[in-house]
Amino acid sequence: MAERKQGGQDNGVGVGVVTQVKPKTQKPSLYRVLILNDDYTPMEFVVYVLERYFNKSREDATLIMLQIHQHGIGVCGVFTYEVAETKVAQVIDTARRNQHPLQCTMEKD
Ligand code: TYC
């Protein structure tokens, strides 16, 4: 973190109070992308989505898919707002193009 000497002008003795300066950059808010269970989307399609859009290995994708299947909802990843929004749109678009009712949403982390 940056530092500055408080008090403006040198008083001639060379002593000043050093204070911390708060950085002006802010960390972006993060959003969880969630996939929901349904009775119709094939398990293999959900595994494919997790591999294709969330860079999961087949093993991790299968575990996440089963977590969703058993508990109703699961986290696919955490992203900045615009990336999360894009992922949600891509998942819903690919599901609809394949005529699956798969639901995907996002919430603040
Ligand atoms: N419940 C679905 C089935 O039995 C599989 C499934 C898993 C669907 C996860 C959606 O997000 C989902 N075919």
Side-chain angles (χ1 to χ4, degrees):
M1 199 183 283
E3 288 179 350
R4 73 167 171 227
K5 225 178 202 184
Q6 205 173 48
Q9 284 181 325
D10 194 322
N11 60 11
V13 187
V15 178
V17 179
V18 176
T19 57
Q20 298 292 308
V21 179
K22 194 176 175 210
K24 290 202 176 81
T25 52
Q26 296 289 312
K27 287 184 194 154
S29 296
L30 294 175
Y31 292 80
R32 285 189 284 275
V33 173
L34 305 158
I35 284 184
L36 284 74
N37 188 37
D38 66 72
D39 291 340
Y40 305 102
T41 303
M43 290 183 173
E44 181 51 39
F45 184 80
V46 180
V47 172
Y48 159 76
V49 163
L50 290 164
E51 290 178 314
R52 170 72 175 78
Y53 297 103
F54 299 96
N55 302 315
K56 300 299 183 187
S57 65
R58 177 145 289 247
E59 292 71 26
D60 283 355
T62 302
L63 289 173
I64 295 168
M65 181 279 294
L66 287 173
Q67 142 80 29
I68 301 168
H69 177 68
Q70 288 159 7
H71 300 279
I73 195 162
V75 179
C76 309
V78 178
F79 308 96
T80 56
Y81 186 88
E82 287 190 349
V83 174
E85 213 182 21
T86 300
K87 302 263 183 207
V88 169
Q90 286 172 326
V91 171
I92 293 174
D93 181 63
T94 191
R96 294 302 167 272
R97 282 190 285 106
N98 289 278
Q99 302 182 326
H100 298 312
L102 187 65
Q103 286 293 347
C104 185
T105 187
M106 60 195 266
E107 67 178 24
K108 209 163 189 297
D109 193 30

